[in-house]
Amino acid sequence: MNDIFWNAYPWLLWIHDYAKSMRFNPYGLLTALLTRYSALLPPNVVLQVTDNDLPMSLNLDAVLVGTAGTGKGRQLAAARRLIPSNDSPVPFKEIKPKSGEGVVSKFAEMRPATDENGKPLKGQYSLQVLADRLEIVLGEVTYLAAAVGMDGSTLLSLLLEAFSNEAIGGNTRGRQTDLVLPPYAYRLSCLVCAQPACSGVFFDNTESGFASRFVFARAGDPEAPDVRPPKPAGTLGVDADLIPHGLSSMQLETLIDKGSIEKLPKAGELGYPLTSIAFPKSAADYADRLQLEGSRGLMGDLDAHKVEPTAKVAALIALLNLNISGHALADGFTVSDTDWQLALSYMTASAEARTYCMESAKYSRRSAKAQRKADDMIAAEEAERIRHAELLRRAERYILRRMGEKDPSHAGIRHAVLQQATSRTYRDVFGEAIAALIEKGHVIEREGGNGAKIYIATGG
């Protein structure tokens, strides 16, 4: 147990003790909770680590790593129970998309416009906002791998774009499908349950920074005690009513229609105010140092986006603490140094889980490759055995036929004569074929003059 981390706040210790009582890894449960809380926050809640950067989205991507039986699905269910959704004007949804277009269509759609009698107006469409916050929840990483691997799939690019708060969607020829969601118009977090051996989808795309956009957590608990600990008293204490409700559908529709916040009025009911979370100087210094390393090309692919998930985790820890303490989010809220240090500690555990996941995936691939090679060798040996047996069978029939042609009276035929009369196709197995025919009783072997062997077909 990381005593400093889990004892930083009473509610963190509660999560730790609850996870232990449920046979969960505490970091796994915390990750499921952070991802869910991220998904419940409206998209106008943003964070800004330094003055040199634009406000950052709180979209969080996470991986629960564990073999079968480690409780990944149960942790998802626990997160839903412990953090209920609120009754915001634009509802929150969990989705399981197969494509990037499928994600965008859950946020908004272009519906045919109608007249006062409800009749469609030809060629006219109106924007309808369906949701402003979604959580992609995938209980099996193989689903993600299959969806990303489909020809023409845009899911991978959408996840990359959404993490960085870029515009998602696309311009199409059809007016009904011509829909782009600009930055700050959507909240999209993602939680994937992954068996380590099947998690190659994250590491096959490291050049694009895919894995670096995710936090990782072990679902199973190698340190679970033999005796199940009791559940902690009370509840986590998240108040759904204190989760920000966000802006109106009209404000969202106006932002989507205009295409960016910069094109909106600064005030009034059609404005789109951002609630920005500030960070301490220690976080800004950390971000500047990593950005310098990145600029110099010193950051590896797996840590290319380390600042963003660290900042998002710090902000979510701070926001959960604010909520559980009974306070609503207001302008000017700042992440504390404690929250920042907790995020750095969490990211250390995340890196360890990611390494475990990556090494397990590599080992699985190597094992599968070795098994394929072994199977190929066995198959080749079996094929050779079958080929040789068939060749021997044909050789036996051929030799009997040649003996009938060369020795019709069954007086006997010398070894050298019979071997010479045998086709080159069967020369290599001639000795085996004769031995087999003798064993089966189809040929009798006799001693001739000068010790030469003579073969007589029995006709049996």
Side-chain angles (χ1 to χ4, degrees), residues 320-358:
L320 269 174
N321 188 57
L322 183 72
N323 181 294
I324 294 171
S325 299
H327 301 291
L329 177 63
D331 287 329
F333 179 71
T334 301
V335 170
S336 69
D337 277 305
T338 296
D339 300 325
W340 179 250
Q341 292 302 318
L342 288 172
L344 292 175
S345 179
Y346 173 91
M347 291 303 294
T348 298
S350 172
E352 292 172 354
R354 183 181 66 192
T355 298
Y356 161 73
C357 187
M358 181 172 60

Side-chain angles (χ1 to χ4, degrees), residues 148-205:
V148 168
M150 291 174 59
D151 288 341
S153 173
T154 58
L155 185 57
L156 175 60
S157 60
L158 179 134
L159 288 172
L160 295 172
E161 293 162 352
F163 174 87
S164 301
N165 192 36
E166 299 175 16
I168 60 174
N171 297 115
T172 63
R173 293 182 179 180
R175 185 70 181 90
Q176 192 168 0
T177 57
D178 184 7
L179 184 60
V180 176
L181 302 180
Y184 311 112
Y186 62 91
R187 166 75 66 240
L188 181 64
S189 294
C190 177
L191 183 58
V192 182
C193 295
Q195 293 199 20
C198 305
S199 57
V201 63
F202 299 108
F203 308 109
D204 292 342
N205 299 283

Side-chain angles (χ1 to χ4, degrees), residues 232-295:
T235 64
L236 179 59
V238 174
D239 188 343
D241 292 333
L242 291 178
I243 299 174
H245 281 217
L247 304 178
S248 67
S249 295
M250 182 180 295
Q251 289 170 301
L252 285 163
E253 289 170 3
T254 304
L255 173 58
I256 295 171
D257 181 63
K258 296 295 184 180
S260 71
I261 286 182
E262 291 72 23
K263 296 180 181 179
L264 296 178
K266 301 301 180 184
E269 64 177 9
L270 294 183
Y272 200 89
L274 299 178
T275 301
S276 185
I277 299 168
F279 279 73
K281 184 178 183 301
S282 57
D285 291 343
Y286 177 88
D288 182 64
R289 185 173 72 254
L290 291 192
Q291 288 169 359
L292 177 61
E293 291 181 9
S295 180

Side-chain angles (χ1 to χ4, degrees), residues 19 22-25 28-29 32 64-79 81 139 191 193-195 218-221:
M22 297 294 289
R23 299 298 198 191
F24 299 153
N25 189 308
L29 179 58
L64 274 183
V65 182
T67 55
T70 49
K72 298 184 291 295
R74 292 171 58 228
Q75 288 174 60
L76 299 183
R81 291 195 308 271
L191 183 58
C193 295
Q195 293 199 20
R218 295 279 293 266
D221 185 9

Side-chain angles (χ1 to χ4, degrees), residues 358-389:
M358 181 172 60
E359 292 302 320
S360 297
K362 287 181 179 178
Y363 175 79
S364 176
R365 287 192 173 184
R366 287 195 296 266
S367 297
K369 186 176 181 180
Q371 186 61 55
R372 286 195 297 271
K373 284 187 175 180
D375 290 343
D376 289 345
M377 290 177 62
I378 293 172
E381 290 172 359
E382 180 64 14
E384 175 58 24
R385 186 191 66 79
I386 294 172
R387 185 199 68 79
H388 186 77

